[in-house]
Amino acid sequence: MTALVERPGMAVPSRLGRFAALVAVADPAVRESVTRTLRMLGAVNVEHATSVAQARAMARTGPRALFIADAGLPDGSGAQLVSELRAAGWNRCVVLSSNADPFAVRGAVAAGVRCYLVTTRPEGVGFEGRGGEAGVDSLSEREVEVLQHVADGRSNKDTGALLGLSALTVKSHLARIARKLGTGDRAEMVAITLRAGVIQ
């Protein structure tokens, strides 16, 4: 779940384990869903903000292990906020959005976002997931490679190009990963395998 890119010289843990997170999401239901998932994955401190201004103020105390922001906050852009925090040393950041429009994604990437997750997902699959870490050990080496690229914010097409696969093959790998981990949510798949130390 995140712009899982470590900068040289930054003391960032290779796995989340017990971690602190900041969530900037205005919608109460989405915020609660994200929080439940983070606590399930080991978060011991989840702070909440409902606006860019509030998140910016809370961020002044220093980077947390993970920052999750809604792309469209009431007073501004969550993507732009992620760009600011990355420059301040927040290495693991995720933008959530229901907008899969290529122009919106391109704009987020231009702002420095490395992990943009569309929150729409298959019917019956929630953010909380069902399989959890039980299926991590069954992941193949190739599936782990695919997940690492997803964690780095790459699209299926870009992941395929780097691994010598078609975008359709990458999609098939993700479908198998979803069955093993019990969730089709890309953010949760990344978070589960990150916490297990399978990816960084």
Side-chain angles (χ1 to χ4, degrees):
M1 210 175 151
T2 164
L4 305 174
V5 178
E6 296 189 8
R7 296 180 180 179
M10 295 300 297
V12 179
S14 61
R15 67 179 73 182
L16 288 182
R18 294 170 64 81
F19 63 97
L22 175 58
V23 176
V25 175
D27 185 290
V30 175
R31 190 169 61 247
E32 177 60 27
S33 180
V34 171
T35 299
R36 281 199 307 271
T37 298
L38 292 175
R39 293 199 184 284
M40 178 186 74
L41 296 173
V44 294
N45 182 19
V46 181
E47 297 174 277
H48 300 113
T50 58
S51 67
V52 169
Q54 187 179 16
R56 190 178 283 135
M58 295 172 74
R60 290 187 187 125
T61 57
R64 318 299 192 272
L66 184 63
F67 175 60
I68 300 176
D70 195 340
L73 290 164
D75 59 341
S77 167
Q80 184 58 48
L81 179 59
V82 162
S83 180
E84 292 177 24
L85 295 189
R86 280 178 55 80
W90 294 62
N91 291 309
R92 292 182 169 92
C93 303
V94 179
V95 172
L96 301 178
S97 177
S98 59
N99 185 4
D101 179 77
F103 291 103
V105 177
R106 190 174 303 151
V109 171
V113 172
R114 292 295 175 267
C115 191
Y116 185 101
L117 298 173
V118 178
T119 55
T120 54
R121 46 194 171 267
E123 185 178 355
V125 178
F127 193 88
E128 295 82 13
R130 295 186 180 91
E133 296 181 27
V136 169
D137 291 340
S138 66
L139 295 174
S140 69
E141 183 177 346
R142 176 63 81 185
E143 288 165 350
V144 170
E145 288 178 326
V146 168
L147 276 170
Q148 183 63 65
H149 287 294
V150 170
D152 289 337
R154 297 189 177 96
S155 66
N156 290 359
K157 181 179 178 181
D158 290 342
T159 297
L162 289 168
L163 295 178
L165 306 171
S166 69
L168 184 60
T169 300
V170 172
K171 185 176 180 180
S172 296
H173 279 302
L174 288 170
R176 284 194 291 274
I177 293 167
R179 286 195 294 272
K180 291 178 180 181
L181 300 183
T183 176
D185 187 282
R186 290 166 76 102
E188 190 176 0
M189 287 192 287
V190 169
I192 289 170
T193 48
L194 178 71
R195 182 173 181 244
V198 174
I199 62 172
Q200 297 184 6

